[in-house]
Amino acid sequence: MTGRLDLPEPDAFTRTYWDAAAEGRLLIRRCRACGRAHHYPREFCPRCWSEDVVWEPASGRATLYTWSVVHRNDLPPFAERTPYVAAVVDLAEGPRMMTEVVGERELSAGAELEVAFREGIPVFRIVPGSGQVPGPGK
């Protein structure tokens, strides 16, 4: 355990995912039996249960599904990052992913996002020039 609760502890199966992320590449898993992509990485397809799944590069594009601004988190190193945006995004390939949105604080559902990496962890940011508009009441 690293003492930091935001860093992964890769195992033999997830090491491929985390090694790619450390190189700035986002991977997903795709089932060769039903063709569906999924995330988080699993050794089987969560839809048809096939074990015929492979690693595949993701485009890094996503849309914002939902988010919450976290103002208090006492666990290391989150306290130093508050406020931060915990989010769920829809990857262009189909799966939903829990993540963090960095940078922009004026968010709206459906905002176009692109992957970025912080210390080998995939996070997302608003696509520059994507016509992002403020949410309700802004």
Side-chain angles (χ1 to χ4, degrees):
M1 180 87 169
T2 64
R4 285 186 52 184
L5 301 174
D6 65 328
L7 297 177
E9 292 188 35
D11 59 24
F13 172 69
T14 63
R15 185 161 314 283
T16 299
Y17 178 84
W18 293 115
D19 286 350
E23 297 169 0
R25 297 181 298 119
L26 180 62
L27 297 180
I28 57 174
R29 298 281 280 174
R30 183 163 308 272
C31 177
R32 290 195 281 200
C34 73
R36 304 276 305 264
H38 62 270
H39 186 82
Y40 64 91
R42 286 167 267 202
E43 296 183 59
F44 61 91
C45 176
R47 292 180 180 81
C48 74
W49 301 96
S50 172
E51 293 180 2
D52 188 11
V53 291
V54 294
W55 293 105
E56 169 181 299
S59 67
R61 301 295 243 177
T63 56
L64 184 59
Y65 177 71
T66 190
W67 72 97
S68 180
V69 179
V70 178
H71 293 277
R72 182 175 178 128
N73 185 338
D74 296 330
L75 299 172
F78 300 105
E80 295 82 34
R81 292 187 190 155
T82 59
Y84 63 89
V85 178
V88 177
V89 302
D90 288 328
L91 298 176
E93 294 78 12
R96 284 202 170 133
M97 177 180 176
M98 292 183 68
T99 187
E100 181 179 345
V101 175
V102 297
E104 183 69 42
R105 292 290 189 240
E106 296 288 333
L107 300 173
S108 63
E112 295 178 50
L113 305 171
E114 64 186 3
V115 72
F117 293 88
R118 180 180 57 219
E119 297 182 65
I121 306 294
V123 296
F124 284 78
R125 61 181 172 223
I126 299 292
V127 172
S130 66
Q132 171 66 20
V133 296
K138 302 289 181 196

